[in-house]
Structures are given as structure tokens and as C-alpha cells.
């Protein structure tokens, strides 16, 4: 039933923890994976997701005012 600004902020509130979970899983993969391909992918996920988390946190702060 939400739309507009309320929807946008709610979307970010749900996506930030989702991305944080991906970072946790990727860090776990760095410690436990056997194949270098998984470790390479995990590093890529960490980098991309952390950048997106920062962006979404900034938007949420700006749009929640």
C-alpha cells in the first residue's frame, strides 16, 4: 500500500540488512572455501555490497528528513 517516499525508505530499510547478510556470508566464504573462484567471488561481493550499503544508508538519511 506504500508508494513514493515512504516506499523508497521502506525498501532501503529492507535492502540494507539483506546486503549486510551477503557481506557476512562472503566473509565466511573467505575463511572456509576451498576453491579460489569462491574466494574471488566473495571479495567481489564484499566490495560491491559494502559500496551499495553506504549508498543506501546515505539515501535513507537524506530521504528520511
Amino acid at each position: 500500500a506504500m508508494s513514493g517516499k515512504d516506499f523508497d525508505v521502506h525498501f532501503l530499510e529492507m535492502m540494507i540488512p539483506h546486503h549486510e547478510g551477503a557481506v557476512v556470508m562472503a566473509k565466511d566464504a573467505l575463511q572456509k572455501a576451498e576453491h579460489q573462484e569462491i574466494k574471488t567471488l566473495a571479495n567481489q561481493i564484499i566490495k560491491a555490497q559494502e559500496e551499495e550499503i553506504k549508498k543506501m544508508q546515505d539515501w535513507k538519511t537524506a530521504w528520511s528528513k
Side-chain angles (χ1 to χ4, degrees):
M2 281 186 224
S3 63
K5 180 180 170 181
D6 289 338
F7 175 85
D8 294 349
V9 171
H10 182 68
F11 176 80
L12 295 173
E13 288 172 343
M14 294 183 348
M15 287 303 295
I16 291 168
H18 175 73
H19 278 48
E20 289 170 339
V23 171
V24 169
M25 290 175 66
K27 287 181 178 180
D28 197 35
L30 287 177
Q31 299 298 316
K32 298 178 180 177
E34 177 179 340
H35 294 91
Q36 183 58 44
E37 295 89 344
I38 297 296
K39 293 180 181 201
T40 299
L41 177 62
N43 277 317
Q44 292 169 345
I45 289 169
I46 292 166
K47 182 179 184 302
Q49 298 293 299
E50 286 181 342
E51 289 173 2
E52 290 177 7
I53 290 167
K54 172 70 170 107
K55 186 184 303 183
M56 289 187 291
Q57 288 171 332
D58 291 346
W59 289 341
K60 182 180 168 203
T61 298
W63 299 343
S64 294
K65 294 179 182 178

